[in-house]
Amino acid sequence: MTSDGGVKIRNAIDNEVNTIMMLISIEKLIVSTSAAGPFLQRIVGLTEGITYLVYREPVFQVPEGNTLKEIEINNAPNLRSLTVGGTNRYLRRLSVETCTLDRMPPTIPQLVVLTVLGIIRCALTALRMDVFAKSPSLNAVYLTQNQIRQLIPFTSPPKERLTIGYFDLSENQLERLDMSIFVHMPELEWLDVRGNRIVRLEATVPVTHESLKRLLLDKNKISSIDTRNLTLSIMNSFHVVDNLLTEIPTLLGPMPNLRSVSFDRNNIKQVDMSVFRRFTNLSGIYLNENQIESVRTSSSVTLPELGILVLDNNLIVSPNLTGCNFPVMYFISFMNNRLTVIPPLFQRFERARMSVEWNPIKCANMATFKSRFVEGRIFLSTAEKQLDCVTTSMIDLNENVKGCCNA
């Protein structure tokens, strides 16, 4: 671009018949000063968006009056400052990946029509929510794979209603998640905090999220949950997977539309089914890969919509679901536990099918359930020969199938 580069690009565009979706790739760009700033003013006559596959300079400037709609900066290991000159009413998408920015650029609010912001794999350590207070057009924020340890609340309510619906903070270094931080984001639908170091999930002041559908908490270190102050009006699934819970949380706030809960891959040892009593719309409960030894009900519980209960890969010997009224239950699974007898649940749950595969079921007990196996009501470990069983013996379940069991 130091001589006739601009002319060559213009000629290439003028000679192309179909320029509606034209993509120009420049493998090496030589400019007199910077590949940002004044250069962006020259390039706007040729395109509405620009992507830098490699950006080597420490500063990126969006000059005043620039009309680009999209800017994407990749592989910018030296970039430590990004500035916007004056109010910009054109740029709608800004993405920066792999850089050394250690704080949110303070001039971001000058991008008044920005809808998508991404700062990914950079060096952010703290996030002041005030930076979004003057960005009423933002819809999606991606801040994944930074080093964010702290979320600093809004100092005052934004003057305009914020429209952020998707907020990605995954793979940072957060240790505490206070849901009241997001109180001024009424349209937040999706909050992703997977892969942080969160120990405690809470809401320190009463807050209602009327739009939040997904709260992604996997792969943290959560051992404590107290969300009594938190109302999730339309949340239909609450999954806390790959964390450090030792018991099913009892201090959960209202979730009137909750349909599915999962606490897979935690350190839970006991389950009291009555803890789910408040969530009358539950259709599925998943408690796989914990250390569960005991399943019981301390007081009667009715869940009129519950159809699936899965407790695979635990240490359960004898589950007791006395007191559970689940009228539409259709599938219960105890795969790979320590059952020696098949739980007598068919009379309690008349429509249910049950899986007890990979358990050390006694042969005499398994034999009493042959008819259930033929009906397809029970799933048992089967094999063609003894070597394929992890148990000591086999019995005939029908003419062609043998079941693995213990003598």
Side-chain angles (χ1 to χ4, degrees):
M1 298 295 287
T2 56
S3 55
D4 60 349
V7 175
K8 289 181 178 179
I9 295 173
R10 170 53 67 188
N11 288 339
I13 294 173
D14 291 343
N15 291 329
E16 179 64 35
V17 175
N18 182 11
T19 59
I20 296 175
M21 295 294 291
M22 187 177 189
L23 176 66
I24 300 173
S25 176
I26 301 174
E27 295 185 4
K28 186 175 182 179
L29 179 68
I30 301 173
V31 295
S32 57
T33 53
S34 170
F39 168 74
L40 292 184
Q41 297 298 70
R42 297 179 61 189
I43 205 72
V44 292
L46 306 174
T47 182
E48 291 185 344
I50 186 168
T51 298
Y52 297 83
L53 297 180
V54 179
Y55 188 83
R56 305 183 188 280
E57 300 175 38
V59 176
F60 190 94
Q61 181 188 19
V62 181
E64 186 172 3
N66 191 264
T67 59
L68 286 174
K69 294 181 179 179
E70 295 189 8
I71 297 176
E72 183 176 333
I73 309 166
N74 301 308
N75 298 307
N78 302 317
L79 180 61
R80 59 177 183 268
S81 175
L82 189 153
T83 62
V84 180
T87 300
N88 182 298
R89 301 184 184 279
Y90 295 92
L91 192 64
R92 297 183 178 276
R93 180 176 177 271
L94 174 63
S95 176
V96 185
E97 296 192 21
T98 312
C99 69
T100 54
L101 287 173
D102 62 359
R103 66 195 65 188
M104 289 289 290
T107 52
I108 288 294
Q110 294 177 195
L111 301 169
V112 295
V113 297
L114 190 70
T115 59
V116 179
L117 171 65
I119 299 179
I120 299 169
R121 288 190 294 276
C122 293
L124 304 181
T125 58
L127 177 61
R128 294 183 179 276
M129 303 303 285
D130 278 343
V131 75
F132 305 115
K134 296 181 180 180
S135 300
S137 297
L138 262 181
N139 178 259
V141 178
Y142 302 87
L143 302 176
T144 186
Q145 298 182 47
N146 282 278
Q147 301 168 36
I148 300 172
R149 298 181 179 87
Q150 184 180 14
L151 302 178
I152 302 171
F154 290 92
T155 55
S156 60
K159 293 181 179 179
E160 296 185 62
R161 182 182 176 92
L162 301 186
T163 59
I164 295 174
Y166 187 105
F167 206 99
D168 189 345
L169 288 162
S170 60
E171 297 185 60
N172 279 281
Q173 298 178 19
L174 295 172
E175 295 184 356
R176 177 172 169 259
L177 182 62
D178 184 348
M179 291 299 294
S180 63
I181 291 280
F182 306 97
V183 65
H184 299 306
M185 294 184 178
E187 298 191 25
L188 186 64
E189 295 184 7
W190 186 295
L191 177 60
D192 190 344
V193 292
R194 290 175 292 182
N196 277 269
R197 303 174 181 177
I198 299 169
V199 173
R200 180 175 174 81
L201 172 66
E202 62 186 346
T204 54
V205 298
V207 57
T208 297
H209 286 289
E210 296 182 349
S211 301
L212 193 61
K213 297 177 181 177
R214 295 297 304 275
L215 175 58
L216 305 179
L217 298 161
D218 298 0
K219 297 182 179 179
N220 279 283
K221 298 181 179 182
I222 298 173
S223 60
S224 174
I225 297 178
D226 184 348
T227 57
R228 285 173 290 180
N229 283 329
L230 176 65
T231 299
L232 299 172
S233 303
I234 65 170
M235 178 79 71
N236 57 29
S237 63
F238 185 69
H239 294 178
V240 186
V241 176
D242 279 310
N243 277 276
L244 299 178
L245 292 172
T246 57
E247 59 184 9
I248 295 173
T250 59
L251 304 179
L252 299 177
M255 290 183 273
N257 287 292
L258 189 64
R259 301 285 295 171
S260 169
V261 294
S262 173
F263 300 110
D264 292 349
R265 294 187 292 281
N266 280 273
N267 293 324
I268 298 170
K269 294 185 177 181
Q270 297 183 341
V271 176
D272 183 346
M273 294 299 296
S274 61
V275 77
F276 300 108
R277 180 185 293 109
R278 294 170 46 225
F279 304 109
T280 56
N281 290 317
L282 271 181
S283 61
I285 298 174
Y286 304 88
L287 298 167
N288 300 306
E289 297 182 57
N290 281 276
Q291 304 294 318
I292 299 171
E293 299 174 353
S294 167
V295 180
R296 64 184 185 88
T297 309
S298 60
S299 59
S300 60
V301 53
T302 297
L303 296 174
E305 303 295 328
L306 187 65
I308 301 176
L309 175 61
V310 184
L311 295 120
D312 296 344
N313 301 302
N314 282 289
L315 306 173
I316 301 167
V317 175
S318 181
N320 183 357
L321 296 182
T322 302
C324 293
N325 179 25
F326 308 147
V328 298
M329 176 65 70
Y330 64 87
F331 183 67
I332 306 174
S333 185
F334 296 105
M335 287 180 60
N336 194 30
N337 275 274
R338 296 184 178 179
L339 304 179
T340 57
V341 297
I342 296 170
L345 300 179
F346 288 110
Q347 290 183 340
R348 179 171 297 279
F349 308 116
E350 297 180 356
R351 305 178 185 179
R353 295 175 298 155
M354 188 191 318
S355 174
V356 293
E357 297 166 276
W358 308 109
N359 278 277
I361 305 293
K362 292 181 180 179
C363 297
N365 180 260
M366 183 177 290
T368 65
F369 286 87
K370 283 184 179 182
S371 61
R372 298 292 191 184
F373 176 81
V374 173
E375 294 169 358
R377 296 285 305 279
I378 192 167
F379 303 99
L380 303 167
S381 295
T382 61
E384 294 183 0
K385 51 190 177 182
Q386 182 65 57
L387 288 175
D388 297 327
C389 290
V390 296
T391 52
T392 59
S393 301
M394 304 182 78
I395 64 168
D396 291 327
L397 294 174
N398 60 33
E399 293 180 359
N400 303 311
V401 180
K402 295 180 180 297
C404 299
C405 56
N406 276 345

